[in-house]
Amino acid sequence: MKVAIITGASRGIGRAIALELYKRGCNIVFNYTRSTQAAEELVKECTSTDRQALAYQVDAADFPAVQDMVKDVKSKLGRIDILVNNAGITNDKLIVRMKEEDWDKVLDTNLKSAFNFCRAVTPIMLKQESGRILNISSISGIVGMAGQANYSASKAGLIGLTKALAKELGSRNITVNALAPGMIETDMTATLSEDYKKSLLEQIPLRRFGQVDEIARIAAFLVSEDAAYITGQVIQVDGGLAM
Ligand SMILES: NC(=O)c1ccc[n+]([C@@H]2O[C@H](COP(=O)([O-])OP(=O)(O)OC[C@H]3O[C@@H](n4cnc5c(N)ncnc54)[C@H](OP(=O)(O)O)[C@@H]3O)[C@@H](O)[C@H]2O)c1
């Protein structure tokens, strides 16, 4: 049975991906930082007796803690087949107001976290001669967004990481792709002003925000056997917003 690690899956897109992979027969393992109750509820929702759901309260930006988490997963479940680097935050500010800590926190949470998990799981996937890595980027990393210098840079960085690792790991049957959502209804976008949401809606050809399940199903496809010949790609799921 496949083992999938999904980072930042207590809420939002990560949670939906974790549930979708569980539904499709994977053992799921996820981490989170603050939302303990939501994490416990997700574990409770996974009731099948033939597979597991494990939660770790581990900051994805903490390199040694991630190494320890992955070691523990390997010892408990024996293998790691899928890694979805989803953990992410925003801290939007114009560059003239952005403090050093605003930059560092977003880059550490969104980009360094993906390095941390890739670094920890790739030796295992290389030995297995198989694996799927999916990095949750954003259209902000493709087109850039005003007020999101830190976030856009982190999400563009994930695309570079994706392409480099696709070239490095392809010969061992490990695919590495990025998924770039547009505007998806989660806690992250709930804080945007109504005026800003309205102006965005006018720019989305499908005239609506996306739902987490719509991201989860594409993510599940990209880490499935059906996507065996797709690597190094950035798949936009954005209702046509960024083209
Ligand atoms: N929503 C969108 O429109 C959109 C668009 C493009 C890309 N994305 C990307 O999709 C991903 C998920 O976004 P979302 O909208 O689902 O966000 P969300 O609803 O705010 O959920 C973020 C998740 O990440 C976890 N997390 C945050 N910092 C973490 C850390 N340091 N270590 C481990 N877990 C951490 C949170 O757990 P805790 O609550 O426990 O901290 C939570 O489970 C992010 O990478 C985001 O950039 C989202």
Side-chain angles (χ1 to χ4, degrees):
M1 195 161 297
K2 288 200 169 143
V3 176
I5 296 181
I6 306 98
T7 71
S10 52
R11 298 180 286 113
I13 291 170
R15 181 179 198 280
I17 294 173
L19 277 174
E20 185 66 30
L21 293 177
Y22 187 76
K23 201 171 89 187
R24 294 185 188 208
C26 295
N27 291 295
I28 56 160
V29 180
F30 66 95
N31 69 324
Y32 67 98
T33 48
R34 293 168 303 146
S35 310
T36 306
Q37 198 185 332
E40 283 168 0
E41 277 162 21
L42 174 54
V43 171
K44 265 195 216 138
E45 264 190 58
C46 299
T47 51
S48 296
T49 48
D50 65 338
R51 54 198 191 276
Q52 301 196 42
L54 305 177
Y56 289 79
Q57 191 166 21
V58 163
D59 182 348
D62 181 339
F63 184 85
V66 169
Q67 294 282 319
D68 289 347
M69 172 181 158
V70 170
K71 247 188 233 155
D72 195 59
V73 174
K74 174 78 166 62
S75 77
K76 285 192 171 122
L77 298 175
R79 52 186 299 116
I80 294 165
D81 302 281
I82 295 166
L83 167 66
V84 181
N85 285 309
N86 165 82
I89 55 167
T90 50
N91 190 346
D92 297 354
K93 277 173 194 142
L94 295 173
I95 189 74
V96 291
R97 300 211 183 105
M98 195 172 284
K99 297 195 185 93
E100 184 186 7
E101 57 262 34
D102 300 329
W103 175 271
D104 287 346
K105 178 93 174 132
V106 170
L107 268 288
D108 285 354
T109 306
N110 298 5
L111 182 57
K112 188 184 175 214
S113 61
F115 162 71
N116 290 347
F117 274 91
C118 289
R119 180 66 188 82
V121 307
T122 45
I124 298 165
M125 289 182 175
L126 284 166
K127 250 192 211 152
Q128 289 170 186
E129 298 204 352
S130 72
R132 295 272 185 275
I133 298 174
L134 181 66
N135 296 317
I136 306 299
S137 177
S138 165
I139 56 161
S140 301
I142 298 170
V143 297
M145 293 281 186
Q148 289 198 316
N150 49 2
Y151 185 77
S152 300
S154 72
K155 294 298 181 178
L158 282 175
I159 293 173
L161 176 72
T162 298
K163 293 181 181 183
L165 291 188
K167 288 182 179 169
E168 208 171 301
L169 304 172
S171 65
R172 301 278 193 97
N173 191 29
I174 299 167
T175 68
V176 190
N177 290 292
L179 193 164
M183 296 301 301
I184 310 302
E185 278 181 25
T186 66
D187 295 343
M188 186 179 270
T189 48
T191 55
L192 299 173
S193 76
E194 286 308 313
D195 281 353
Y196 185 56
K197 282 191 202 166
K198 207 171 150 233
S199 80
L200 278 168
L201 272 178
E202 282 162 15
Q203 297 168 52
I204 301 172
L206 290 180
R207 293 286 184 273
R208 63 177 180 85
F209 286 4
Q211 301 299 315
V212 291
D213 294 351
E214 292 175 299
I215 301 297
R217 288 193 292 270
I218 305 298
F221 163 70
L222 289 169
V223 299
S224 74
E225 288 310 314
D226 289 340
Y229 204 53
I230 301 176
T231 198
Q233 302 305 304
V234 184
I235 309 296
Q236 286 179 225
V237 186
D238 65 355
L241 175 57
M243 56 173 160

